[in-house]
């Protein structure tokens, strides 16, 4: 018997131009499909995004009200030395004064964001007032050795809000260590990249309670006018306690949880307001088209809120 012949099915020829057009249409549809998907996604989560945005905005306003814009500031101090050289050699005190309102005007003029210390702060606010010195490692300063720093802080009425005194001394270096340091840093010192100097910082006044009328000025005095000073600064540090400490040092963590809490409060208030005004509750539709009020009277009884 003869074997049946296999029928070979011939596939229709495909026009290359049609293949290119189909591929082109498919590629052109991708952006449109992505746009439609994005619109559906935005429609589904737009109300949640608006609610979270409002919560984050309210938290930011609370943060601005509670946390100061600057936690620490430094203002230059210019000491007034005795006019007579004999008086300076005798070691008379040298004094300086700082006006905080004037210093803030200088910072605003330079475009820097500073703290208005002349205005009252929240209850429970506390400050640390200190002094920083940049002293040359000279023989005169080594002879002066330990000196006293006295600081007095005044409010707007001219009353003393706080005062304090601290002893300051330069770090000791033996002649051998001084020689080795000079040799090691000789090239940078010749290029004026560094100098033989020491920076000393100390906290003099600690205000547990910030004055209700704010801070107006401060006076700084050193016990020995023989002291040679490159630069001197008065440092004001705002000490945060309680929630404000965590809001500043744990900013993103508090922002996350604060936004969630405020958003839930807003959602609960919205539910209460809708129930109070319309006598019913609202639900979110599954397709993300909006929020409707269900009154229980069928589809014709539903009314859109937004």
């Amino acid at each position: 018997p003869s074997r049946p012949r296999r029928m070979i099915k011939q596939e229709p020829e495909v026009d290359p131009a049609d293949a290119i057009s189909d591929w082109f249409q498919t590629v052109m549809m991708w952006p449109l499909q992505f746009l439609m998907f994005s619109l559906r996604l935005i429609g589904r989560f737009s109300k949640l995004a608006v609610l979270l945005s409002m919560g984050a905005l309210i938290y930011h306003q609370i943060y601005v009200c509670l946390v100061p814009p600057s936690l620490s500031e430094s203002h230059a101090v210019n000491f007034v030395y005795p006019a007579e050289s004999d008086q300076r050699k005798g070691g008379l005190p040298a004094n300086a004064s700082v006006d905080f309102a004037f210093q803030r005007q200088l910072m605003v003029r330079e475009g820097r964001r500073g703290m208005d210390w002349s205005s009252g702060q929240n209850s429970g606010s506390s400050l640390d007032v200190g002094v920083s010195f940049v002293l040359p490692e000279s023989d005169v300063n080594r002879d002066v050795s330990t000196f006293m720093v006295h600081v007095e802080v005044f409010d707007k009425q001219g009353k003393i809000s706080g005062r304090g005194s601290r002893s300051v001394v330069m770090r000791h270096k033996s002649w051998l260590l001084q020689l080795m340091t000079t040799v090691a840093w000789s090239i940078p010192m010749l290029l004026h990249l560094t100098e033989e100097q020491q920076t000393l910082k100390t906290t003099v006044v600690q205000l547990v309670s910030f004055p209700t009328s704010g801070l107006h000025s401060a006076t700084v005095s050193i016990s020995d006018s023989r002291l040679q000073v490159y630069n001197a600064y008065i440092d004001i540090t705002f000490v945060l306690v309680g929630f404000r400490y965590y809001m500043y040092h744990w900013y993103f963590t508090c922002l996350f949880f604060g936004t969630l809490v405020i958003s839930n409060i807003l959602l609960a208030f919205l539910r209460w307001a809708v129930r109070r005004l319309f006598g019913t509750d609202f639900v979110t539709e599954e397709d993300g088209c909006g929020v409707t009020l269900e009154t229980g009277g069928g589809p014709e009884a539903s009314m859109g809120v937004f």
Side-chain angles (χ1 to χ4, degrees):
S2 60
R3 296 181 179 179
R5 296 180 180 179
R6 295 183 178 179
M7 300 296 293
I8 301 176
K9 187 178 180 180
Q10 297 181 355
E11 297 181 357
E13 297 182 358
V14 179
D15 188 3
D18 296 339
I20 294 177
S21 62
D22 294 341
W23 175 83
F24 182 75
Q25 291 178 2
T26 304
V27 173
M28 292 300 296
M29 286 296 293
W30 287 349
L32 182 59
Q33 293 176 357
F34 178 75
L35 178 61
M36 296 302 295
F37 172 76
S38 300
L39 291 177
R40 289 194 300 269
L41 190 65
I42 293 174
R44 186 171 296 273
F45 295 101
S46 59
K47 294 176 291 298
L48 179 62
V50 170
L51 192 63
L52 292 177
S53 300
M54 293 179 62
L57 180 62
I58 295 175
Y59 177 84
H60 176 71
Q61 295 299 323
I62 296 175
Y63 179 87
V64 171
C65 295
L66 293 180
V67 180
S70 177
L71 294 185
S72 61
E73 291 182 2
S74 296
H75 302 293
V77 174
N78 299 313
F79 290 101
V80 179
Y81 289 89
E84 301 294 334
S85 59
D86 295 338
Q87 295 178 348
R88 291 196 299 270
K89 292 179 181 179
L92 293 178
N95 304 313
S97 61
V98 180
D99 189 340
F100 296 123
F102 177 73
Q103 294 295 332
R104 175 171 172 78
Q105 293 178 2
L106 294 179
M107 296 180 66
V108 172
R109 188 181 65 177
E110 296 174 359
R112 293 186 296 168
R113 187 183 183 187
M115 184 68 185
D116 187 9
W117 302 108
S118 60
S119 62
Q121 301 296 321
N122 297 325
S123 59
S125 303
S126 58
L127 292 176
D128 288 344
V129 182
V131 182
S132 301
F133 295 95
V134 181
L135 307 178
E137 294 179 338
S138 60
D139 295 335
V140 175
N141 286 346
R142 293 192 185 93
D143 294 339
V144 172
S145 184
T146 304
F147 61 95
M148 295 295 297
V149 180
H150 183 74
V151 176
E152 292 183 352
V153 183
F154 302 89
D155 58 8
K156 289 184 178 180
Q157 284 73 28
K159 299 179 180 179
I160 298 179
S161 301
R163 65 175 64 180
S165 300
R166 291 291 186 275
S167 60
V168 184
V169 62
M170 295 182 62
R171 290 180 292 273
H172 173 71
K173 288 184 179 180
S174 63
W175 68 269
L176 180 60
L177 179 59
Q178 185 69 33
L179 177 63
M180 295 174 61
T181 303
T182 304
V183 173
W185 293 91
S186 58
I187 296 179
M189 284 189 291
L190 289 175
L191 298 176
H192 299 283
L193 299 177
T194 185
E195 296 179 356
E196 291 182 326
Q197 63 185 23
Q198 293 185 17
T199 301
L200 308 178
K201 297 182 179 181
T202 181
T203 300
V204 183
V205 180
Q206 292 178 317
L207 298 178
V208 179
S209 179
F210 195 91
T212 55
S213 59
L215 300 180
H216 179 266
S217 60
T219 59
V220 182
S221 61
I222 52 179
S223 59
D224 198 331
S225 59
R226 294 178 301 166
L227 187 70
Q228 297 176 347
V229 181
Y230 279 159
N231 297 300
Y233 305 92
I234 184 169
D235 305 322
I236 306 177
T237 304
F238 200 100
V239 181
L240 296 177
V241 294
F243 286 106
R244 288 184 295 177
Y245 174 86
Y246 296 101
M247 291 176 68
Y248 180 82
H249 294 282
W250 297 78
Y251 177 78
F252 292 102
T253 303
C254 293
L255 174 63
F256 176 76
F257 288 104
T259 301
L260 290 181
V261 172
I262 296 175
S263 300
N264 281 276
I265 294 175
L266 290 176
L267 181 60
F269 175 77
L270 181 60
R271 289 179 179 273
W272 174 85
V274 170
R275 188 181 299 110
R276 187 78 173 180
L277 295 176
F278 301 99
T280 183
D281 202 352
F282 68 96
V283 295
T284 304
E285 295 179 354
E286 292 297 331
D287 57 355
C289 295
V291 176
T292 60
L293 296 178
E294 292 186 351
T295 58
E300 64 278 5
S302 298
M303 56 184 301
V305 178
F306 54 84

